[in-house]
């Protein structure tokens, strides 16, 4: 599967952005999906994951209550709605997929497919 992330940009603190990740192929529903982020000088960290059906989701504590992951299997797309953004949310955001991933798959090592990343910058 090939992944194409989009929707990043520059936003003021307290603002919102919605990231999208479009997947190629006709087996999108077979993949667990996740979002990760990497800030300069830091390791890539887990943000959110969603089950194949979209019925279950899991979030990092740092984004819980502010971010929402969802997916539209008819459109082969996963989304990350980000509200109440903070400067510490500034990072490159990556979507990831794997046939073996579930809604509790938190480690980047367990995802075999990655999008190219989209930059999110939150100004104070």
């Amino acid at each position: 599967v090939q992944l194409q992330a989009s929707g990043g940009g520059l936003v003021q603190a307290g603002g919102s952005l919605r990231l999208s990740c479009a997947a190629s192929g006709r087996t999108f529903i077979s993949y667990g999906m996740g979002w990760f982020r990497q800030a300069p000088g830091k390791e890539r960290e887990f943000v959110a994951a969603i089950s194949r059906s979209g019925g279950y989701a899991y979030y990092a504590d740092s984004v819980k209550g502010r971010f929402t992951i969802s997916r539209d299997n008819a459109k082969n797309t996963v989304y990350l709605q980000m509200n109440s953004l903070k400067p510490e949310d500034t990072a490159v955001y990556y979507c990831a997929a794997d046939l073996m991933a579930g809604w509790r798959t938190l480690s980047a090592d367990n995802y075999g497919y990655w999008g190219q990343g989209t930059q999110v910058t939150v100004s104070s």
Side-chain angles (χ1 to χ4, degrees), residues 27-111:
T27 59
F28 177 70
I29 197 171
S30 300
Y31 291 83
M33 301 295 298
W35 285 97
F36 291 75
R37 67 186 182 186
Q38 187 166 19
K42 295 187 177 182
E43 293 186 354
R44 191 169 297 190
E45 65 173 357
F46 170 80
V47 175
I50 191 166
S51 63
R52 291 163 183 77
S53 67
Y56 296 92
Y58 191 81
Y59 300 91
D61 287 342
S62 58
V63 307
K64 197 173 298 181
R66 299 188 298 122
F67 290 11
T68 302
I69 187 172
S70 62
R71 64 190 294 165
D72 186 336
N73 288 332
K75 295 182 178 180
N76 283 10
T77 302
V78 63
Y79 304 98
L80 186 68
Q81 177 67 44
M82 305 185 295
N83 299 328
S84 302
L85 282 161
K86 304 175 181 180
E88 51 264 43
D89 294 318
T90 295
V92 177
Y93 283 70
Y94 299 88
C95 57
D98 200 274
L99 288 171
M100 300 303 293
W103 65 285
R104 292 294 297 268
T105 301
L106 311 185
S107 172
D109 291 341
N110 291 330
Y111 288 88

